[in-house]
Amino acid sequence: MLTTIIENMGLLCSRHQECNQSDAEENAQTAEIERRIEQETKAENHIQKLLLLGAGDSGKSTIFKQIKLLFQTGFDEAELKGYIPVIHANIYQTIKVLYDGSKELTHSEADSSKYVISAEIKEIGDKLSAIGGRLDYPHLSEELAREIETLWNDAAIQATYLRGNEFQVPDCAHYFMENLNRFSDVNYVPTKEDVLCARVRTTGVVEIQFSPVGENKRSGEVYRLFDVGGQRNERRKWIHLFEGVSAVIFCAAISEYDQTLFEDENKNRMMETRELFDWVLKQPCFEKTSFMLFLNKFDIFEKKVLEVPLNVCEWFKDYQPVSTGKQEIEHAYEFVKKKFEELYFQCTAPDRVDRVFKIYRTTALDQKLVKKTFKLVDETLRRRNLFEAGLL
């Protein structure tokens, strides 16, 4: 019996030791989890949140793709090939808009003869317009590319293209049409330029984490950039992203002062941008948020402003040209810039005047300019952080 008692005591001690060991392991695991959570929290606190906002077709998503190319590994071959159907769709959509636009002008213009499609290629136009209206676009074959090129070179289509601001002709239409042979090659793999020109309407929210690259070393700042859809029906998805934002990067396409919205052809795009910028500036959660305004698509603006008066836009109706050439381009740009500055300060309450506000002239397709711009944005935000920490 004594032996049994001793054996039972030994068993209890053994179980007690196992329990102690199990508790110790559990405690160690808990401590490790808590340590990791603390590390991740510190790392998360170090990450600055940037919100990329703007109306549809303002160039936001092109800026987003440039960041991926500049500050990450870019696009691998699989990602590049994933843009093939997008580029093909853009081509079909473009030629449909131009063909349908020429028919509309034929019926609405007094001098309509120059918009009449040649009889011998009308059948091609009808066929391509039908394809452009589908949801499932065919792969761009060499035969289809030749037909699109034939229609593109028709005088009526070229005349319609010159009035592209009246329709929804994409900015890269000419680029697409000039590269049809390459796009239809069986071994075609998109280049980074092709990807930047490819147009996919952003739906929902996409994000990217990056650290701008300096001349000799990486910046100490890490940014998480959020891009959201710019069309009206996408903007309700912005709200939950507004908290904890270090800076808003607002894209305004200054070349679109004579164009209308994709979703509302009665609304001028620049007026929509003005109203949207006004609304964003007045959001209570942005009272201490820095604002970086990208006056985008300057490359298109500098060509257009010499041909299309800036005062065709209601917001710019008081504009008066003063010169020609480069001097007039700069004068027009400074006028637009001043309009946005005035709007910013009109919408900024006295207790918010200390928030950072910077304006940058940008062309989203120009990689060197985008890199230079983000370097300036990075320097501005780092200086603000040092100032708030009392180190500057």
Side-chain angles (χ1 to χ4, degrees), residues 21 43 63 65 76 109 111 136 160 168 229 252 261 358 392:
Q21 185 178 353
I63 294 286
K65 286 186 280 189
D76 60 30
E109 293 295 301
D111 180 19
D136 56 327
T160 305
Q168 299 298 329
L261 295 181
K358 296 285 184 180
L392 194 66

Side-chain angles (χ1 to χ4, degrees), residues 47-319:
I47 297 171
Q48 297 204 57
K49 184 175 175 182
L50 305 179
L51 199 53
L52 192 54
L53 300 181
D57 293 310
S58 61
K60 295 185 300 85
S61 297
T62 306
I63 294 286
F64 190 87
K65 286 186 280 189
Q66 287 281 28
I67 296 302
K68 183 175 175 66
L69 287 166
L70 285 166
F71 306 128
Q72 288 198 328
T73 55
F75 298 92
D76 60 30
E77 187 170 339
E79 288 177 302
L80 290 172
K81 287 183 176 179
Y83 273 91
I84 292 176
V86 174
I87 292 166
H88 289 178
N90 288 166
I91 292 167
Y92 290 125
Q93 291 160 355
T94 298
I95 202 67
K96 173 181 171 56
V97 167
L98 288 169
Y99 180 71
D100 293 352
S102 70
K103 291 199 297 183
E104 183 179 327
L105 291 171
T106 298
H107 293 105
S108 63
E109 293 295 301
D111 180 19
S112 62
S113 59
K114 62 181 175 180
Y115 301 111
V116 177
I117 299 290
S118 306
E120 60 269 23
I121 62 170
K122 186 178 183 301
E123 187 177 341
I124 293 175
D126 289 339
K127 171 185 172 181
L128 294 173
S129 179
I131 291 174
R134 286 162 50 177
L135 295 176
D136 56 327
Y137 302 104
H139 188 82
L140 184 66
S141 64
E142 290 184 4
E143 181 184 353
L144 281 168
R146 283 195 296 271
E147 291 181 332
I148 292 170
E149 186 175 17
T150 298
L151 187 58
W152 165 250
N153 289 327
D154 187 85
I157 293 296
Q158 289 299 307
T160 305
Y161 175 66
L162 293 176
R163 294 179 61 171
N165 66 297
E166 299 174 40
F167 307 100
Q168 299 298 329
V169 178
D171 296 329
C172 293
H174 190 270
Y175 180 85
F176 291 143
M177 297 302 149
E178 291 299 303
N179 288 279
L180 286 169
N181 290 338
R182 185 167 59 85
F183 294 151
S184 62
D185 190 285
V186 291
N187 298 314
Y188 168 60
V189 176
T191 64
K192 68 178 182 181
E193 288 78 15
D194 298 342
V195 170
L196 289 173
C197 288
R199 180 72 180 99
V200 183
R201 296 194 182 280
T202 306
T203 57
V205 181
V206 289
E207 63 179 272
I208 193 171
Q209 189 166 303
F210 69 98
S211 181
V213 180
E215 292 180 2
N216 301 310
K217 61 181 181 179
R218 286 187 177 274
S219 159
E221 301 295 345
V222 177
Y223 299 103
R224 185 171 292 153
L225 180 67
F226 293 85
D227 179 26
V228 294
Q231 271 71 37
R232 289 174 173 176
N233 63 332
E234 289 290 322
R235 294 175 195 169
R236 57 184 172 79
K237 301 174 185 177
W238 296 4
I239 304 299
H240 75 281
L241 292 170
F242 281 7
E243 297 298 333
V245 173
S246 300
V248 170
I249 297 175
F250 191 93
C251 284
I254 59 173
S255 63
E256 298 184 345
Y257 60 89
D258 66 334
Q259 294 172 251
T260 58
L261 295 181
F262 173 80
E263 60 269 44
D264 181 0
E265 294 192 350
N266 293 314
K267 183 71 174 183
N268 178 276
R269 290 190 184 187
M270 184 57 72
M271 296 304 294
E272 178 80 358
T273 295
R274 180 190 183 280
E275 292 167 15
L276 182 59
F277 190 49
D278 178 291
W279 179 77
V280 171
L281 286 169
K282 292 176 179 177
Q283 295 306 300
C285 52
F286 290 152
E287 61 181 12
K288 295 183 179 179
T289 301
S290 299
F291 272 84
M292 309 292 158
L293 176 62
F294 286 11
L295 297 183
N296 196 32
K297 301 190 179 182
F298 179 77
D299 56 328
I300 302 173
F301 175 84
E302 65 179 342
K303 295 174 184 176
K304 179 182 285 188
V305 77
L306 297 176
E307 302 292 333
V308 183
L310 200 59
N311 52 24
V312 299
C313 173
E314 177 66 20
W315 194 20
F316 304 148
K317 63 182 180 181
D318 55 335
Y319 178 74

Side-chain angles (χ1 to χ4, degrees), residues 341-388:
E341 285 177 335
E342 290 173 349
L343 179 60
Y344 173 82
F345 288 109
Q346 287 169 10
C347 298
T348 301
D351 59 341
R352 300 186 191 181
V353 292
D354 59 342
R355 66 181 178 185
V356 177
F357 176 56
K358 296 285 184 180
I359 299 178
Y360 303 94
R361 180 188 308 196
T362 59
T363 295
L365 292 173
D366 186 335
Q367 192 169 71
K368 288 183 179 179
L369 182 58
V370 173
K371 184 175 183 179
K372 178 182 177 182
T373 302
F374 264 87
K375 185 178 179 182
L376 294 172
V377 169
D378 179 46
E379 289 174 357
T380 297
L381 294 177
R382 281 190 288 136
R383 285 182 64 84
R384 187 205 63 179
N385 292 339
L386 290 172
F387 178 81
E388 290 181 352

